[in-house]
Amino acid sequence: MKATTGEPPAIRELGPSPFAGTKLVGELRLRVGNRAGKAIATRQYHQGALRILRPHYLDDTAQVCYTIVNPGGGYLGGDNYGIEVTVDEDASLLLTTQSATKVYKTPGSIARQDMVVRLGPGALLEYVPDQLIAYRGASYRQFTRVDMHQDSSLLFCEVLTPGWSPDGKLFRYDEVRLRTEVSVDGRIVVLDNLLVRPGADSLDSLLFLQDYTHVGMLLAVDANIGPGDVERIRDLAYKIGDDQGTDVHLGISQVSGPGVAVRALSNSTEAINAVLMGVINDLRHHLRGQKPLNLRKY
C-alpha cells in the first residue's frame, strides 16, 4: 500500500514509526506473518524512493521472499532512508534487493540508511542484498538494529565494493560506516562496527585491509549454531576461497548470540559472493533443511 494523504490504515496498524522526526527520501515498513500455511506480508507501507516487489516462494517451504527496489537509482548527499522489518512468531522471510545499492558523490552531507528489525519467537530473517557500491567522494552510514527472541534466527550479510572514479582508480570514496547491533531478549550480543576511510588515495595504502579493495561480512545468530558448526563453516569457507582463482582473505569466529561471523577481503565481488553464498547455503541446509539459495535475478 502506498501512502497518499493523511495517515493510511497500514500506518496505524504498524504502530509508531522508528523514524519519526526524520525527513526521509524513502521509507519502507514491512510486517510478515503466517497466513494459510505460508509467510506473507500482513502489513506494508512505502513512500518515496523505496518499494517492494510482489512476494515469491523460492522453494517448497513456507518462507516468503520480498525484493526491495529503489526507483531513484542511487543514494545522494543528504538522503536518509528508513527500513523497518517485523517478522512475527514462526514466520520466515528472505529479504533481498533488486540490484546493487549505489552511493554517489555526497558533497556537504552524508547519505544514510537506518534499518530496524524485530523478530518474534521462532521467526527467521535472511537479509541477502546485492553489493553496496560507493563512488568517488561518497560518504555513507548504515545503522542496523536487530531485536530478536532467543529462539528466532537471523542471517545478515553485506558486500562493500568500490565504484570507478573518472581516472579509473578504485576506492576513492570518503567514508563508509556499517554498524550492526543485535540484541537477544533485550541483551546486546553482537556489535559490529566497520569503518573504512580511504581518503584521497586508493585503499591499497591502508594496511588494515592488506591491499584488498572489497569487503564482505556475514553474521548469523541462531541458538542452534555451536562450535562444531563454526569449525565446519570455517573449513568450507576456506575451501571455497581457495577455489576462486583470486586471493580471498577470511576471518571466521563464533559470536555470543550464539552464532558465527564471517569477514572476507578480496579484490573481486564474485569471489566474496561465492564464499558468503556457500556459508549461507550450508546454514540453510544444516539448520532448516532448506535447499541452496537461488535468487534468480538474471
Side-chain angles (χ1 to χ4, degrees):
M1 178 180 293
K2 182 179 179 180
T4 52
T5 59
E7 187 179 80
I11 288 296
R12 294 195 296 270
E13 293 168 355
L14 280 165
S17 171
F19 317 114
T22 302
K23 185 178 180 181
L24 298 175
V25 172
E27 180 178 8
L28 173 63
R29 303 179 67 192
L30 177 67
R31 184 163 194 158
V32 170
N34 287 323
R35 295 288 186 274
K38 287 192 174 183
I40 193 68
T42 57
R43 302 286 185 273
Q44 58 179 294
Y45 167 83
H46 67 260
Q47 65 86 19
L50 286 179
R51 303 283 190 277
I52 54 171
L53 299 181
R54 64 183 180 86
H56 289 80
Y57 297 88
L58 303 182
D59 56 25
D60 56 3
T61 70
Q63 184 179 55
V64 66
C65 174
Y66 280 101
T67 301
I68 300 174
V69 180
N70 183 345
Y75 290 14
L76 304 173
D79 285 357
N80 288 297
Y81 291 82
I83 299 174
E84 179 189 28
V85 178
T86 301
V87 186
D88 288 335
E89 183 173 0
D90 294 329
S92 179
L93 169 63
L94 169 62
L95 192 62
T96 186
T97 55
Q98 187 183 43
S99 59
T101 298
K102 299 176 181 178
V103 184
Y104 297 110
K105 190 173 183 179
T106 57
S109 184
I110 64 170
R112 174 167 173 157
Q113 176 178 289
D114 289 281
M115 187 172 185
V116 176
V117 175
R118 301 182 184 90
L119 303 180
L124 164 68
L125 171 65
E126 292 180 309
Y127 180 63
V128 188
D130 283 358
Q131 67 267 29
L132 170 67
I133 304 176
Y135 287 87
R136 184 174 186 173
S139 292
Y140 176 71
R141 294 179 185 174
Q142 179 175 293
F143 292 167
T144 303
R145 187 180 78 244
V146 181
D147 295 305
M148 57 188 292
H149 194 269
Q150 62 180 350
D151 65 354
S152 54
S153 183
L154 171 73
L155 190 149
F156 192 96
C157 69
E158 289 281 359
V159 177
L160 169 61
T161 74
W164 291 93
S165 61
D167 58 8
K169 293 182 179 179
L170 298 176
F171 273 105
R172 296 293 295 275
Y173 58 82
D174 293 338
E175 174 183 304
V176 170
R177 180 191 293 267
L178 305 177
R179 187 182 190 276
T180 304
E181 176 184 307
V182 180
S183 296
V184 175
D185 290 344
R187 179 177 65 91
I188 295 178
V189 296
V190 178
L191 180 57
D192 185 21
N193 190 29
L194 174 66
L195 174 62
V196 184
R197 287 177 177 157
D201 299 319
S202 66
L203 199 65
D204 57 18
S205 65
L206 298 184
L207 297 179
F208 74 94
L209 285 184
Q210 303 178 33
D211 295 342
Y212 298 107
T213 55
H214 296 53
V215 184
M217 51 188 291
L218 182 149
L219 174 65
V221 179
D222 189 299
N224 295 308
I225 297 175
D229 298 296
V230 177
E231 289 303 317
R232 184 188 68 252
I233 288 168
R234 181 178 288 114
D235 292 342
L236 173 66
Y238 277 104
K239 181 179 185 305
I240 296 174
D242 289 342
D243 291 341
Q244 293 311 300
T246 187
D247 195 19
V248 182
H249 185 73
L250 293 168
I252 296 98
S253 58
Q254 187 170 7
V255 298
S256 63
V260 62
V262 179
R263 188 84 89 214
L265 300 175
S266 184
N267 294 310
S268 164
T269 302
E270 292 75 15
I272 289 180
N273 280 336
V275 172
L276 296 188
M277 289 304 299
V279 174
I280 290 170
N281 289 332
D282 176 272
L283 289 169
R284 285 167 62 88
H285 171 69
H286 282 90
L287 294 178
R288 297 180 295 278
Q290 283 185 275
K291 297 177 181 178
L293 185 60
N294 180 7
L295 295 175
R296 299 183 294 187
K297 296 183 184 180
Y298 309 108

